[in-house]
Amino acid sequence: MAARPTAKRSPRRDDGGEHPSGDPRFKLIDRTLKRFQYQQDALIEVLHTAQEAFGFLEEDLLIYVARQLKLPLSWVYGVATFYHFFSLKPQGEHTCIVCMGTACYVKRAAEIVASLQAEFGVEPGQTTPDGKLSVATARCLGSCGLAPVIVVDGEVLGRETPETTLSRLKALLDTSQPEPMAG
Amino acid sequence: MNRADLENMAQREQERQQGFRCRLLCCASTPCLSSGGTAVADALQDEIARRELNAEVQVVSTGCMGPCSRGPVVTVQRQGEPDLLYENVTPDAARRIVQQHVQGGEPVQEHLLPLDIPFFTKQHKVVLSNSGLIDPERLEDYVARGGYSALAFALREMTPEEVCAEIIRSGLRGRGGAGYPTGLKWDLVRKAPGARKFVVANGDEGDPGAYMDRTLMESDPHRVLEGMAIAGYAVGAEQGYIYVRGEYPIAAKRLERAIRAAERRGLLGSRILDSNFNFRIDVRIGAGAFVCGEETALMASIMGRRGQPVPRPPYPAQRGLWGMPTLINNVETLGNVAPIITHGADWFAGIGTEKSKGTKIFALAGKVATTGLIEVPMGITLREIVFDIGGGIPDGGTFKAAQTGGPSGGCIPAQFLDTPVDYESLRALGSIMGSGGLIVMDDRSCMVDVAKFFMEFCMDESCGKCVPCRVGTVEMYELLRRITDGSATPADLATLEELCVMVQETSLCGLGQSAPNPVLSTLRYFRDEYEAHIRERRCPAGVCSLDQVPVLEWPDRLHAQALAGNGSISGEVN
């Protein structure tokens, strides 16, 4: 099998670890590749780094990782699509994750999702057309004591209701309006 | 570092801690942080700095203290006085605690959480004995409470055979769910021939509603590492992996830090504690797949592949990571190892019931007054957990069921509240211990809806490798959806039951084999709710909207009867 651990590979020198595009974010990926000595079983770790650096895994990135680890692209694509954590689509400026664990579900987290859907017209896993807000659901964030729980831009918020979530998100989107759109 | 150095370190740290007149322990685990714990810790620090108490008062960020719904919580330890615990601490209250209690000696009554309530007195902390009392990011704190002395003892005084024998004698069983005897597993790996062996700690806690493993990794990471090192010594492994769920970044960060700290002091790495034993641990971060909690899928994921299970046997004990014998234990199981070596197998076997020894951590959540993390001796009744420790059902609701074991488990109805909680009793009720999620439901929860929720989870999380699981879960979800939206017929219920058995018996791995459990257990105890949905088109709990009309393949006359709730329909159609 292709993914058996092979003997330590010597890091390749032909491109000096520099990505032709000159994008400095590739350096982060190269660092992880070197740390794992280009071993093929480090694929998930490398994809984690790549997603952290770029926000999502675009096709070029998958090709780059596949080349570096000498894995078929189909293999890398297969792994990237298998795990929920990896996203092949760009994320919105702000993210709102609604926990749908059992405790949150019993305390009606589904109503929060429905209200988001009604207000912003996005299903879980989608981004609003203007790229402002991505809505997602999570399996369980392990803060069951505070159910229902949402995560807005990395901040965990407990004991939410549809109303508090909506007003929070509206405030967030309003404040970000005057700033010029990045990129 | 050798054993004497370890003892010196412990003593120095104890003396340092006693040098403080007062210690303020702030909970810094995820639930308390998300209810404002950071601001509380900052307020305490500011107030102490303002009053120039830095030399005599210490603020420590600790792991979980238990009552998560009462967070943020702060423990005050004053020299020569019993500890006091504060609940719902605000930055304002924090300043008053410093002023009134720390300086004045007079506790702030309105935030005080008494420590003699059943929530605390009914618990028995073995695995969580350090949790909430030490700073998880400082090795010295752990060592001061006797950390790594079990490893030192095992390396010096015991052979690997003796370590395995001790674990077997203790009666410790796997805390991940199935409850396989841990010592036997260790002995199998020890005896298995292989050039290299591996130890894997399974910290991929995918069960919704369970967070014991995360708390243990966050609150006491060295406890897990010490357990892994002892396991490595016992089975002859030199490499360990700890697989942490991607959703737990704090746990992963603290583990990484703990590994580096232990390596620097020679407690991990080469020639541990001046012995001939080498053991390295690497953290592997999962990427969000429930199936990776299954041991063969977890190994695939560690090797950088899609987390798809493979048929067993061969078991990982014979052929695991890269074909080598591999020991896979749950994080909580490994958390029990150091206390067993320190206090002996007989002490451990004295806790719990005849077949289920020791304690179990539960994440108590759902419709109970006090939710949080509890560690109770095996054999405690469900009633004690829900009504004494959890404080009963809030808002005047009545207890309907307790869901244990997540999507692989089942619901236990009210008539079994006095059943002792152990592996066998729960299995007899059609549920499992599981990793320890315990969700309490009251009369406003619809059991069909709950079953649908778990089935949706399994459908999403099925890895897709085997057909019974991939197709079966989708079909079962579709049937449950139709029951909850009112478009199901009695024939659908029969199909659902058939599918349950088929998926259970023919799936490849634990995910598919246990996916029907929530349906089967709710059918067993709450069949009337399913029937009410189908025949009477009403949801007894008032959760489901039932706005769809059944599409019937029978004459209008029967259709009308079905809508009227005539019980004789199924006979005529079948």
Side-chain angles (χ1 to χ4, degrees):
Chain A
M1 293 293 283
R4 286 188 72 91
T6 43
K8 287 175 187 170
R9 289 147 179 267
S10 60
R12 62 210 66 199
R13 289 186 187 81
D14 50 0
D15 57 9
E18 194 79 19
H19 190 260
S21 75
D23 192 328
R25 289 176 293 185
F26 280 101
K27 277 206 177 120
L28 292 168
I29 301 180
D30 290 337
R31 203 174 297 156
T32 309
L33 285 164
K34 278 197 190 113
R35 187 155 66 89
F36 288 96
Q37 293 154 331
Y38 291 84
Q39 281 186 39
Q40 292 172 330
D41 38 319
L43 175 59
I44 294 177
E45 314 295 315
V46 176
L47 290 180
H48 268 302
T49 315
Q51 174 146 318
E52 218 165 279
F54 285 81
F56 72 107
L57 299 172
E58 52 185 335
E59 200 181 300
D60 286 357
L61 216 49
L62 295 181
I63 295 172
Y64 180 71
V65 171
R67 288 239 177 103
Q68 293 292 310
L69 291 175
K70 291 202 171 141
L71 282 168
L73 178 61
S74 60
W75 181 288
V76 175
Y77 185 79
V79 169
T81 49
F82 181 82
Y83 294 99
H84 301 304
F85 213 80
F86 298 127
S87 164
L88 274 62
K89 281 185 287 187
Q91 294 295 299
E93 216 175 302
H94 299 285
T95 53
C96 176
I97 304 166
V98 184
C99 179
M100 290 291 266
T102 325
C104 295
Y105 187 78
V106 168
K107 294 205 169 174
R108 311 276 165 94
E111 285 173 18
I112 298 181
V113 176
S115 71
L116 291 175
Q117 219 164 328
E119 178 68 28
F120 300 105
V122 278
E123 303 246 341
Q126 290 182 344
T127 305
T128 49
D130 60 359
K132 285 270 183 200
L133 179 73
S134 291
V135 174
T137 53
R139 275 311 170 197
C140 179
L141 300 161
S143 293
C144 310
L146 300 169
V149 173
I150 64 164
V151 184
V152 177
D153 289 349
E155 194 189 346
V156 183
L157 303 161
R159 298 199 186 97
E160 286 289 318
T161 61
E163 293 78 42
T164 56
T165 306
L166 279 185
S167 63
R168 212 184 283 274
L169 285 177
K170 275 186 203 150
L172 189 71
L173 294 179
D174 283 346
T175 52
S176 68
Q177 213 97 63
E179 292 166 24
M181 281 272 284
Chain B
M1 182 179 248
N2 57 32
R3 222 173 151 187
D5 295 337
L6 191 70
E7 280 163 17
N8 279 339
M9 186 189 205
Q11 206 173 350
R12 269 202 312 278
E13 176 64 20
Q14 280 164 4
E15 282 165 11
R16 194 187 77 89
Q17 291 183 4
Q18 276 155 14
F20 291 102
R21 184 170 62 80
C22 181
R23 297 178 85 218
L24 299 171
L25 311 177
C26 296
C27 179
S29 64
T30 314
C32 279
L33 286 183
S34 49
S35 47
T38 321
V40 169
D42 289 347
L44 287 173
Q45 287 283 18
D46 287 352
E47 192 64 16
I48 286 166
R50 206 170 65 81
R51 293 174 184 271
E52 292 169 356
L53 294 171
N54 287 13
E56 41 186 327
V57 182
Q58 188 193 18
V59 179
V60 188
S61 292
T62 67
C64 183
M65 297 182 192
C68 302
S69 61
R70 310 244 184 163
V73 289
V74 173
T75 307
V76 178
Q77 289 183 323
R78 276 166 65 99
Q79 289 256 314
E81 287 176 29
D83 294 2
L84 286 178
L85 185 64
Y86 289 103
E87 58 172 340
N88 295 326
V89 182
T90 55
D92 210 36
R95 281 187 279 271
R96 276 187 29 233
I97 289 171
V98 175
Q99 179 196 350
Q100 205 179 314
H101 189 180
V102 175
Q103 251 191 340
E106 202 47 46
V108 182
Q109 291 297 339
E110 60 263 40
H111 287 279
L112 216 52
L113 184 62
L115 286 166
D116 54 359
I117 55 172
F119 184 88
F120 296 106
T121 52
K122 290 237 171 185
Q123 292 197 45
H124 186 130
K125 296 208 171 180
V126 173
V127 181
L128 294 177
S129 56
N130 292 336
S131 178
L133 293 174
I134 62 165
D135 181 350
E137 305 208 350
R138 283 189 78 231
L139 172 67
E140 292 84 352
D141 272 34
Y142 179 67
V143 171
R145 289 187 57 88
Y148 287 106
S149 59
L151 176 63
F153 181 82
L155 289 179
R156 221 182 125 88
E157 316 279 342
M158 297 169 94
T159 61
E161 292 91 324
E162 284 168 356
V163 177
C164 290
E166 190 78 1
I167 301 291
I168 292 177
R169 219 154 54 80
S170 75
L172 175 66
R173 294 171 68 175
R175 296 293 192 245
Y180 189 81
T182 305
L184 288 183
K185 203 192 244 182
W186 285 28
D187 219 32
L188 277 177
V189 180
R190 183 178 68 78
K191 288 179 185 153
R196 295 170 71 198
K197 294 178 186 176
F198 298 97
V199 173
V200 175
N202 183 349
D204 186 83
E205 187 177 43
D207 277 14
Y211 56 102
M212 303 67 51
D213 292 351
R214 188 202 67 196
T215 308
L216 183 58
M217 291 187 287
E218 274 181 17
S219 310
D220 202 359
H222 286 287
R223 171 67 71 86
V224 183
L225 301 181
E226 187 180 359
M228 286 178 77
I230 295 171
Y233 174 69
V235 303
E238 298 204 333
Q239 172 71 48
Y241 291 100
I242 178 158
Y243 189 88
V244 187
R245 233 181 129 199
E247 283 86 340
Y248 296 169
I250 300 180
K253 196 188 80 195
R254 288 190 184 160
L255 281 166
E256 296 261 15
R257 198 169 285 188
I259 290 170
R260 278 201 301 276
E263 277 176 351
R264 259 201 311 277
R265 307 296 178 95
L267 295 167
L268 284 177
S270 335
R271 299 188 49 80
I272 293 172
L273 289 158
D274 285 349
S275 69
N276 288 326
F277 173 57
N278 310 319
F279 193 68
R280 275 183 52 80
I281 298 178
D282 283 311
V283 175
R284 283 279 181 275
I285 300 185
F290 177 60
V291 69
C292 288
E294 204 275 341
E295 53 186 14
T296 55
L298 184 142
M299 292 191 303
S301 186
I302 287 181
M303 293 187 281
R305 307 178 197 173
R306 295 167 63 116
Q308 287 184 315
V310 290
R312 301 174 305 173
Y315 286 93
Q318 286 118 34
R319 285 176 58 82
L321 282 175
W322 296 291
M324 303 296 175
T326 302
L327 174 72
I328 300 189
N329 276 144
N330 182 267
V331 161
E332 192 190 334
T333 317
L334 291 165
N336 277 298
V337 169
I340 290 175
I341 301 293
T342 307
H343 301 290
D346 296 324
W347 164 82
F348 188 81
I351 310 167
T353 63
E354 195 197 331
K355 284 188 174 165
S356 306
K357 305 290 189 196
T359 58
K360 177 79 192 86
I361 311 179
F362 285 102
L364 186 60
K367 304 271 180 73
V368 282
T370 306
T371 62
L373 205 72
I374 56 167
E375 182 170 358
V376 289
M378 296 271 194
I380 190 171
T381 65
L382 210 52
R383 189 184 297 279
E384 285 175 281
I385 294 181
V386 174
F387 289 93
D388 295 348
I389 297 179
I393 318 289
D395 312 328
T398 49
F399 176 88
K400 186 172 190 176
Q403 210 280 344
T404 66
S408 319
C411 295
I412 302 168
Q415 68 256 40
F416 297 111
L417 267 173
D418 290 310
T419 314
V421 173
D422 60 38
Y423 291 100
E424 277 73 27
S425 314
L426 290 187
R427 180 149 296 168
L429 293 177
S431 186
I432 57 165
M433 180 84 74
S435 54
L438 206 162
I439 316 266
V440 178
M441 287 178 251
D442 67 359
D443 46 358
R444 280 162 291 174
S445 304
C446 170
M447 303 315 278
V448 189
D449 188 57
V450 168
K452 184 185 78 167
F453 166 74
F454 283 119
M455 193 52 69
E456 186 185 6
F457 181 90
C458 291
M459 173 180 84
D460 270 3
E461 294 294 338
S462 169
C463 78
K465 183 168 177 172
C466 71
V467 180
C469 177
R470 182 179 69 227
V471 183
T473 50
V474 174
E475 272 306 306
M476 284 196 283
Y477 171 73
E478 191 56 29
L479 289 165
L480 287 164
R481 190 188 60 74
R482 277 161 59 185
I483 294 175
T484 52
D485 75 10
S487 62
T489 63
D492 287 337
L493 191 57
T495 316
L496 180 65
E497 288 191 271
E498 261 173 49
L499 264 175
C500 281
V501 178
M502 195 274 286
V503 172
Q504 204 170 34
E505 286 176 356
T506 53
S507 290
L508 172 61
C509 82
L511 193 153
Q513 285 159 11
S514 60
N517 285 1
V519 182
L520 284 171
S521 81
T522 45
L523 266 173
R524 186 164 156 191
Y525 300 118
F526 301 98
R527 199 185 180 87
D528 51 330
E529 285 194 28
Y530 282 84
E531 310 234 318
H533 279 82
I534 297 171
R535 292 181 203 281
E536 299 162 32
R537 291 179 42 73
R538 79 181 168 88
C539 174
V543 172
C544 311
S545 52
L546 295 162
D547 47 7
Q548 303 289 311
V549 180
V551 183
L552 299 174
E553 295 163 2
W554 54 22
D556 287 347
R557 179 180 58 83
L558 292 178
H559 190 173
Q561 275 181 359
L563 288 181
N566 190 325
S568 64
I569 292 298
S570 61
E572 288 183 41
V573 172
N574 295 338

